[in-house]
Amino acid sequence: MRNNLINDVFDLPKDEALHTFYERIITIPITAITALKKELVTAIGEDRTRGIFTRYGWHCGVSDGEKALTFQWEDERELIQVGPKVHILHGYLEDVIIDDMKFDEEGGLESIDVSWFNSYEAAEFLKGGIMSEEPVCHTLCGYAGGYLSTVLKKPILVKETKCTAMGHEKCEIICMPMEKWGPKLDNDYRYYQSSSMIQELDEITAKLKIERDYLNTANEVHRKLIEKLLSQQGLEAIVELLYKTTGLPAFIENEYNQIIMKSDGVEIDFDLEKMNTSATSYINVSPGKSILRTPIFFEQQIKGYCSFLYDEDQIPNDLEYMIIDQASLTASIILLNENIKINTEQNIRRDFLSDILEGRFEKEELYKLSYYLKFNPEDSYWMLTMERKINKEDMNHEIEVNEKLVRYINLFFKERQINAIVSQKLGKIIMLIEYPSFKELCVKPAKFINQLLKHCSRRFAKYTFFVGVSSVVENIGQVSMLYDETLAALKAKNTKKQVQFFEDLGIESVLFQIPDDSLINRFVHKQVGDLLEADKNMELIQTLYAYIENGININHTAKALCMSISGLRYRLSKISEILNLDLNDTKSVFSVYMALNVLKAKGQITI
């Protein structure tokens, strides 16, 4: 029979056909195979069980393919078409239809689309009463792949795309040479690879050993971190421990992304603020640098970050993830303790400043508390008062924003080692500065205040800030007058001038110290309101100001303005008429001069 055409075999009765293919065969009940599969799933899991049944089907297919090659056949197409017939002969399926078969120009197989009907694997699965989320005909796919690979003498991979176990009307498969699957091959191909359970156990044992070593190291680091914490060692000890344990440069930031502690080897040439994250993250900074970063939490807010730096192709391992998380927790406790300490000290200082401004201290008590708070009472002092332009919708958050601003300004002074008290009062930020500690910076006051404004604008960009600057007093007992000076300076603020020095105000500073702004405005309007209304181009106002500045002397004024005396007399006559004012009345002219200086200081007129 071996010399007969292969298709003649299937004209024989089933028993004879099977014996033509095999000298001896055994039958296995489907229920037994199903029971075996369930036991394997329980013992080694679904994934490995799928691999076993796929390879079992593969070997069956290879065996039938080798038998088919011993018969006479016309071409490869005939051999391909025999495969479904043998498949049915075994009882795996009720029917098989080859829907499409594609070959390239050279006659090589490109793909075969096949439909399966009444798969035994799908039917057995459905007996469980549920639908599958993926195809289940693993043995059948393995068989088809083994058969085709054998008769075509090239690796063919078979993939089931639809399955009756998923609710489809029939099972559909695609058969293609390995090289044509591309990236889709990887996941399914692994089921055809034989793996050693011993080898897998060895790999698992090796992984467990690594994890054990990681845990031992992590526990040791945790113990040392607790020791540092209990012995009240600060962040410097934490960073040194991280660097010594991992060999990785480490650093800790505050909530404003400023590095407050770092180990050797830390060089930051990138913007840390752009890398803020709410969970431990590995971030690629540039082709040659990466960062492992975890937030430091306390009071349910991110108060900083703990980070490792990596060069070249370094990738963090599980141990480094564990260590950085433990370090973050320890750092949060240290920062919380420091924050409580700082807040307590700042609150005492703020109360101290409030009591000074309210005049609640006798001299002896004032000096005693000053020394206690590390302020020399005999040193000179300086005050800045800051206010910000607030939108109506921001009113509810004004105090909260000011508190954040107070903390941020304190950081500014701390970085420059300036001894200062920062507080808030009536919506304004007050800064009392020990003047000698400021002078050690060797920077001019105006430049220093501009640096402060830039510092605040970086974090609070949506606000416009104005600063009133006091004079300098000789000792702490004179501080109460500084606050009034800064408020007077702020009243002279304008959009073109964010910083106003009290000492630049001149005689009008007396007016600016009046608490009620409406009284100042009424005074100005009474003195020069009519002139402002009549003189839109400011020509007469400039003439009047120059006349007063030149000692009410017509000749000096005409020379200063490069005008003729007759022209000047005409203007002065017109001013006198508008204001109903005798320009020779020194008392009345002085009041007008004060009003003009107020407008000048506020930037409402240009003289």
Side-chain angles (χ1 to χ4, degrees):
M1 194 68 184
R2 291 289 175 90
N3 295 322
N4 289 346
L5 294 173
I6 191 169
N7 278 317
D8 293 342
V9 176
F10 300 101
D11 294 331
L12 299 172
K14 181 176 180 180
D15 288 345
E16 289 185 37
L18 285 172
H19 283 292
T20 301
F21 264 88
Y22 310 100
E23 293 179 0
R24 181 178 179 180
I25 61 172
I26 61 172
T27 59
I28 302 174
I30 291 176
T31 53
I33 294 178
T34 303
L36 175 61
K37 180 180 282 191
K38 289 179 180 179
E39 288 193 23
L40 286 173
V41 168
T42 302
I44 62 175
E46 290 188 6
D47 205 53
R48 287 196 180 93
T49 300
R50 175 177 174 179
I52 287 173
F53 276 84
T54 300
R55 290 191 294 276
Y56 166 70
W58 172 275
H59 291 304
C60 291
V62 169
S63 177
D64 285 353
E66 289 173 347
K67 293 291 184 181
L69 289 172
T70 64
F71 291 87
Q72 294 182 19
W73 38 273
E74 293 182 4
D75 53 27
E76 286 185 346
R77 286 177 180 267
E78 185 177 42
L79 278 175
I80 291 171
Q81 291 168 347
V82 163
K85 295 178 180 180
V86 184
H87 218 173
I88 294 170
L89 191 65
H90 282 298
Y92 294 130
L93 297 156
E94 188 176 287
D95 193 14
V96 178
I97 295 177
I98 297 176
D99 299 311
D100 191 17
M101 211 184 308
K102 295 177 182 177
F103 294 85
D104 57 28
E105 293 179 356
E106 297 177 357
L109 177 69
E110 284 196 343
S111 66
I112 306 173
D113 295 333
V114 181
S115 295
W116 289 337
F117 297 89
N118 197 15
S119 156
Y120 90 91
E121 287 184 286
E124 284 296 302
F125 184 90
L126 290 173
K127 286 180 181 179
I130 58 172
M131 292 288 184
S132 175
E133 295 181 358
E134 57 185 20
V136 302
C137 301
H138 310 314
T139 308
L140 275 65
C141 286
Y143 179 93
Y147 179 86
L148 290 172
S149 298
T150 303
V151 299
L152 297 178
K153 294 181 171 49
K154 62 178 352 179
I156 306 294
L157 187 135
V158 176
K159 185 171 183 177
E160 188 175 15
T161 58
K162 291 183 179 180
C163 184
T164 53
M166 300 170 66
H168 298 120
E169 293 182 4
K170 59 182 179 178
C171 300
E172 295 182 6
I173 63 165
I174 298 175
C175 314
M176 285 198 302
M178 290 283 191
E179 67 272 10
K180 295 189 180 295
W181 281 100
K184 297 179 182 178
L185 169 69
D186 296 340
N187 190 52
D188 285 82
Y189 182 63
R190 62 193 176 95
Y191 294 111
Y192 292 85
Q193 305 302 303
S194 178
S195 60
S196 168
M197 289 289 288
I198 299 299
Q199 182 182 350
E200 288 188 20
L201 287 173
D202 288 341
E203 291 174 357
I204 292 171
T205 301
K207 289 180 181 178
L208 288 173
K209 185 178 182 301
I210 292 172
E211 290 181 6
R212 182 200 63 190
D213 293 341
Y214 281 174
L215 286 173
N216 287 340
T217 304
N219 285 334
E220 181 63 16
V221 171
H222 179 69
R223 184 185 64 78
K224 290 180 179 179
L225 287 171
I226 295 299
E227 286 179 359
K228 305 287 185 187
L229 181 62
L230 294 177
S231 59
Q232 296 186 345
Q233 297 185 48
L235 296 176
E236 183 178 2
I238 303 301
V239 168
E240 287 179 359
L241 177 61
L242 295 180
Y243 185 55
K244 183 178 179 181
T245 304
T246 64
L248 295 167
F251 61 93
I252 295 175
E253 305 156 57
N254 61 18
E255 60 186 304
Y256 304 112
N257 300 110
Q258 296 170 316
I259 296 177
I260 53 180
M261 199 60 62
K262 64 180 181 179
S263 70
D264 294 338
V266 174
E267 294 181 6
I268 304 299
D269 54 2
F270 46 88
D271 189 353
L272 290 169
E273 191 171 347
K274 293 180 179 178
M275 298 177 188
N276 288 348
T277 175
S278 59
T280 303
S281 301
Y282 179 63
I283 303 168
N284 192 0
V285 177
S286 64
K289 188 171 291 185
S290 301
I291 184 172
L292 180 62
R293 188 168 178 76
T294 190
I296 298 171
F297 284 95
F298 63 84
E299 297 177 347
Q300 297 181 332
Q301 293 180 333
I302 294 176
K303 295 295 184 178
Y305 291 89
C306 186
S307 303
F308 285 141
L309 276 177
Y310 294 82
D311 290 328
E312 303 303 329
D313 297 326
Q314 289 179 302
I315 297 176
N317 56 39
D318 292 341
L319 175 61
E320 287 154 7
Y321 273 95
M322 287 189 281
I323 289 176
I324 201 168
D325 285 340
Q326 291 176 350
S328 171
L329 179 59
T330 307
S332 71
I333 297 172
I334 292 174
L335 287 176
L336 178 60
N337 290 337
E338 289 182 358
N339 189 62
I340 292 171
K341 182 180 177 181
I342 290 171
N343 284 344
T344 302
E345 182 180 345
Q346 292 296 336
N347 287 336
I348 293 173
R349 286 183 164 211
R350 290 168 70 169
D351 290 342
F352 172 67
L353 176 58
S354 178
D355 289 341
I356 291 177
L357 297 181
E358 297 297 330
R360 298 192 182 107
F361 290 126
E362 296 294 335
K363 182 177 180 180
E364 184 178 348
E365 185 182 11
L366 175 61
Y367 275 48
K368 182 179 179 180
L369 281 171
S370 298
Y371 280 120
Y372 174 76
L373 295 174
K374 299 179 181 178
F375 285 97
N376 187 343
E378 296 298 335
D379 274 342
S380 53
Y381 287 86
W382 186 40
M383 184 176 285
L384 311 177
T385 296
M386 176 187 287
E387 67 178 12
R388 55 191 171 87
K389 191 174 182 181
I390 303 171
N391 299 323
K392 289 182 179 180
E393 58 268 22
D394 294 329
M395 291 298 293
N396 294 334
H397 304 97
E398 182 180 356
I399 295 176
E400 180 184 349
V401 172
N402 274 354
E403 281 303 313
K404 290 180 180 179
L405 191 55
V406 166
R407 290 199 298 272
Y408 199 57
I409 293 172
N410 266 318
L411 184 64
F412 176 83
F413 287 123
K414 184 179 179 181
E415 288 175 342
R416 290 158 179 78
Q417 298 182 335
I418 295 174
N419 198 12
I421 301 174
V422 185
S423 185
Q424 66 166 306
K425 183 177 182 180
L426 302 176
K428 297 178 175 61
I429 307 298
I430 310 168
M431 293 160 263
L432 178 65
I433 303 169
E434 193 178 59
Y435 203 69
S437 65
F438 158 71
K439 288 178 68 177
E440 290 180 5
L441 293 178
C442 298
V443 61
K444 292 183 178 180
K447 184 177 180 180
F448 172 78
I449 295 169
N450 283 329
Q451 289 174 352
L452 173 63
L453 288 173
K454 287 180 181 178
H455 175 80
C456 295
S457 296
R458 277 197 297 270
R459 182 59 57 175
F460 302 89
K462 62 185 283 190
Y463 299 106
T464 301
F465 296 99
F466 301 93
V467 178
V469 186
S470 75
S471 60
V472 179
V473 294
E474 295 179 356
N475 59 67
I476 203 164
Q478 299 173 314
V479 163
S480 59
M481 61 181 283
L482 299 184
Y483 181 58
D484 292 333
E485 290 182 359
T486 59
L487 293 182
L490 280 173
K491 286 181 181 178
K493 71 179 185 295
N494 61 76
T495 55
K496 296 180 181 179
K497 193 172 185 181
Q498 285 181 267
V499 182
Q500 181 65 60
F501 288 80
F502 176 79
E503 292 180 334
D504 291 345
L505 293 179
I507 189 65
E508 68 274 11
S509 64
V510 177
L511 283 177
F512 282 123
Q513 292 187 63
I514 297 173
D516 190 347
D517 284 348
S518 64
L519 293 177
I520 301 174
N521 295 334
R522 282 168 57 190
F523 169 78
V524 171
H525 182 74
K526 181 179 179 182
Q527 300 302 319
V528 294
D530 292 340
L531 186 60
L532 287 171
E533 184 66 27
D535 186 26
K536 299 298 183 184
N537 60 5
M538 297 290 173
E539 194 175 73
L540 297 179
I541 290 173
Q542 291 174 356
T543 301
L544 176 58
Y545 192 81
Y547 180 62
I548 299 173
E549 283 279 290
N550 284 278
I552 316 181
N553 184 299
I554 289 181
N555 290 325
H556 291 168
T557 305
K559 185 176 180 181
L561 294 175
C562 299
M563 289 182 64
S564 65
I565 291 179
S566 60
L568 176 60
R569 288 185 185 278
Y570 172 77
R571 286 191 182 179
L572 292 175
S573 174
K574 192 171 182 180
I575 291 168
S576 178
E577 181 183 344
I578 293 171
L579 294 179
N580 192 23
L581 175 71
D582 182 359
L583 295 181
N584 293 316
D585 183 352
T586 305
K587 181 179 178 181
S588 299
V589 169
F590 179 75
S591 295
V592 170
Y593 182 63
M594 288 276 286
L596 290 175
N597 275 314
V598 169
L599 293 172
K600 179 184 176 183
K602 287 189 171 186
Q604 295 178 8
I605 62 172
T606 303
I607 301 175

